[in-house]
Amino acid sequence: MVKSLGRKAISGTLWTTADRLVSMVLQFAVNLVLAWVLLPDDYGVVGVLVIFIAVSNTLIDGGFASALIQHKNPTQEDYSTIFFWNTGFSLFCYLVLFFISPLVAGFFGMPMLKDVLRVMGLSVVASALGQVQIVRLKRNLEFGTIAIVNLTSYIVSAAIGVYMAYNGFSYWSLVAMTVVNQVMMTLLYWLLAKWRPSAVFSVKSFKQLFSYAGYLLAAGFLQETCKHLQGVIIGKRFSETQLGLYTQASKLDQVTSYAVPQALVQVLFPLFSNLQDERERFQEMMEMGIRVISAIVFPMLLILIIVADPLVLALYHEAWTPCVPYFRILCVGGVFVCLQNVNFYAVAACGYSKTLFNWSFYKWGMLVVLLLIGMFFGMQGLMWSIVLSNINIYLVNAVLARKYVGFALSRQLRALLPPLLAGAVPALLVYFLDWHWLLEAVVYAVVYVAIVFCSGMKVVKDFKFIISRFLKK
């Protein structure tokens, strides 16, 4: 039984990793194709509504998905209760979105938002209908099914979106991608999963699950609202064009600042959990994680800042070149973003999730304050306010790691400075070259790797350790 669970866990890890990596590549490729057809305004129309969809989905879930996963033995009554709650509340949320759509359109001065929000809101109902199916698949460690559903749905929706974009449907192609993707996912979950709800709704079951889920609901609502607030500010104070440019810069930055570090943290978190009672080895793992992430992400961010102009022009086209300054500023913030989760998950692995939640009020509240100040200094002022928020979040997580894990901030700086300095040297060299940007990137990578190996940096041993651990598994 234990071996069977172990094999399922390893298989699930592999499927989840494959799902993330393939999805990231597909989304990046599809975004490139669409960017050659659509304009920044088209992305801005959809981008301004993201906060409404994200918050609605958070309210509908209400933390019940996590509550059902955390529950030792959820019953058919529990599953059915949450299914009917999600369905009913999603319909209520859709009606709210439907009737406030004229107000939203008037607030942003974009008449088309009325119909767009009403159509995009359908994805909220579709998502609610599939949530319990996802929970059951996760509890049974059937991550292969989840990966297949995710990838199949995205491929189908992307094909429809690209077809519509090339046939002149502008922002409606992005709307169609969102709705079709969610509807396809729900349909496939119902076809592949065996569970069906019973005609029962238990108030007792709902209250028991909500006692756990309510805590997560508050955290999720706060996070999603603050995280998407910059879209509302840009759409209201500036224009849909500026919002579209910011959206594209953010998507490009996500690949390095978020996706790569998150994949590495997924590997490190189980190690943290296993070593929480061995404080010295725990701290060594944290230090190793910081070195590895810094060694991979820092040089990527530095070279991207240098070649941003020709890179954006090559990947997209001249209509998108105004997003280059935004992208460069976000890359500066990426230096701190990529290390946030190492500290966060280290504290979480030691069982201080409530402390992290309490501090989230300060972190996300400070983001709101900085955004409200930054918007008075134009778009670049708003971008720098996001960077300051990233620095603040990193420092808070680092201070918490010092308090609860004993990992001093000075030790973190000693771990991240060598990769940063090693990346700065070839950056200065490439900056004064006037070659093709691809050749500059190759030269940068060769010089950086040579410095890392020739200087005998500890991160070389770290990579060997991680690779050997995976080969052993």
Side-chain angles (χ1 to χ4, degrees), residues 258-270:
Y258 292 89
V260 174
Q262 187 62 22
L264 293 170
V265 169
Q266 295 262 334
V267 177
L268 293 170
F269 185 54

Side-chain angles (χ1 to χ4, degrees), residues 197-347:
S198 301
V200 60
F201 184 93
S202 170
V203 176
K204 179 181 178 181
S205 175
F206 180 84
K207 288 181 177 179
Q208 288 178 341
L209 290 168
F210 188 77
S211 65
Y212 176 88
Y215 178 79
L216 299 175
L217 169 62
F221 177 78
L222 176 68
Q223 178 174 322
E224 290 301 315
T225 302
C226 296
K227 190 167 67 175
H228 297 289
L229 187 61
Q230 54 262 43
V232 175
I233 293 174
I234 297 171
K236 175 61 178 176
R237 187 171 180 83
F238 301 98
S239 67
E240 63 264 37
T241 301
Q242 295 297 333
L243 179 56
L245 293 170
Y246 163 74
T247 300
Q248 203 63 265
S250 181
K251 284 183 178 181
L252 196 54
D253 174 60
Q254 291 277 337
V255 177
T256 49
S257 300
Y258 292 89
V260 174
Q262 187 62 22
L264 293 170
V265 169
Q266 295 262 334
V267 177
L268 293 170
F269 185 54
L271 298 179
F272 290 164
S273 298
N274 292 333
L275 296 173
Q276 58 181 294
D277 296 325
E278 302 177 50
R279 191 53 58 94
E280 188 173 340
R281 289 189 62 197
F282 190 108
Q283 294 172 4
E284 289 174 358
M285 279 299 141
M286 277 195 69
E287 189 172 2
M288 182 192 74
I290 291 173
R291 284 197 299 262
V292 170
I293 291 175
S294 301
I296 294 175
V297 179
F298 284 3
M300 292 174 65
L301 292 171
L302 288 170
I303 190 61
L304 285 173
I305 290 173
I306 294 172
V307 303
D309 273 307
L311 174 66
V312 170
L313 187 60
L315 292 179
Y316 307 111
H317 55 82
E318 62 276 1
W320 293 100
T321 52
C323 81
V324 169
Y326 309 158
F327 174 60
R328 283 184 167 137
I329 296 172
L330 291 176
C331 282
V332 174
V335 171
F336 302 93
V337 170
C338 70
L339 297 174
Q340 289 173 0
N341 281 341
V342 176
N343 292 295
F344 183 91
Y345 281 112
V347 176

